[in-house]
Amino acid sequence: MNRYRHLAALSATVSAAVLTVTVIAAPSAGAAARPSCPTPSKAEVKRANSSDVDRPARKATAIKGVRVEALPRGFAYGQVNVSRHDGLTEYGYQWSDDRDDVDLKHRSLWVRVVCKPGLRGLNALKKAPLRLGTFSGDVRTAKIGGRKVLTMKGDGALGHGTYVGWVEREGVAVTVMASEPLVPQLSRIVAGIRL
């Protein structure tokens, strides 16, 4: 009789262990429900529309659904930006120091996610109707931070520095504008962006 009780207890323990392993191994509901492209919340859209400034600037997770792992230090303020038009959503964050924009020592970094159904490849990114930071003029293809990107020198609207962009996956592109003092860190910045 004791043998049967011991066997029943052992069977219950093994069943519980298998159930625990199964639950741990199964994907979480949050991961399955995660959108394919990071999109701003209503609060973020409101902040962008009212041009609210963050002092101090937000950290590496300033853009919901995006992590900027190699975020340089020393930014004084930051600002979220959101634009929805022509069937796409632009959602990003700009970090900046207190120097004047025309000062060549001015440090700023702008990371943006572009969501557009069907967006595939660098040629599609080049043709995307972005409100600011279109890839036009002297655009080149390069490998930066382990990613194949479009790259160009910053212009008047973007400021001085280097502008890059890539398609992370279908429907999702990322652009990065780094001011001149941050260009030496651009490879690390690009490599450290995670969606």
Side-chain angles (χ1 to χ4, degrees):
M1 196 75 153
N2 283 339
R3 203 180 277 177
Y4 291 114
R5 282 187 195 151
H6 180 70
L7 200 53
L10 183 61
S11 177
T13 304
V14 169
S15 295
V18 168
L19 180 61
T20 302
V21 169
T22 304
V23 169
I24 290 170
S28 68
R34 186 179 66 178
S36 62
C37 192
T39 54
S41 65
K42 288 180 183 177
E44 290 289 79
V45 172
K46 186 176 177 184
R47 286 183 60 75
N49 289 340
S50 62
S51 300
D52 288 348
V53 173
D54 299 318
R55 279 192 180 271
R58 294 182 191 177
K59 303 295 182 196
T61 56
I63 307 164
K64 182 182 167 195
V66 178
R67 183 165 186 83
V68 183
E69 292 179 349
L71 182 66
R73 295 179 184 214
F75 293 117
Y77 65 94
Q79 188 171 25
V80 67
N81 37 64
V82 176
S83 178
R84 289 181 172 144
H85 59 91
D86 302 308
L88 63 81
T89 301
E90 301 177 47
Y91 175 35
Y93 195 83
Q94 183 169 6
W95 293 266
S96 189
D97 67 13
D98 280 327
R99 290 186 178 91
D100 191 285
D101 291 353
V102 296
D103 185 339
L104 293 180
K105 291 182 180 177
H106 174 68
R107 297 172 73 249
S108 69
L109 177 67
W110 177 36
V111 176
R112 169 181 60 180
V113 178
V114 178
C115 303
K116 181 167 176 48
L119 182 66
R120 286 186 206 99
L122 295 179
N123 281 335
L125 180 57
K126 198 184 286 191
K127 295 174 186 173
L130 304 173
R131 285 268 161 92
L132 181 63
T134 58
F135 287 95
S136 59
D138 188 19
V139 178
R140 298 166 192 243
T141 303
K143 193 149 189 177
I144 297 176
R147 291 184 160 106
K148 189 174 180 184
V149 301
L150 294 176
T151 182
M152 60 183 260
K153 281 288 183 197
D155 60 13
L158 292 174
H160 57 85
T162 300
Y163 180 55
V164 301
W166 67 92
V167 176
E168 181 73 15
R169 57 183 174 260
E170 184 176 340
V172 185
V174 179
T175 66
V176 176
M177 176 64 200
S179 65
E180 202 61 49
L182 298 179
V183 170
Q185 299 176 56
L186 187 57
S187 185
R188 281 183 56 239
I189 293 168
V190 167
I193 292 178
R194 302 276 179 261
L195 274 67

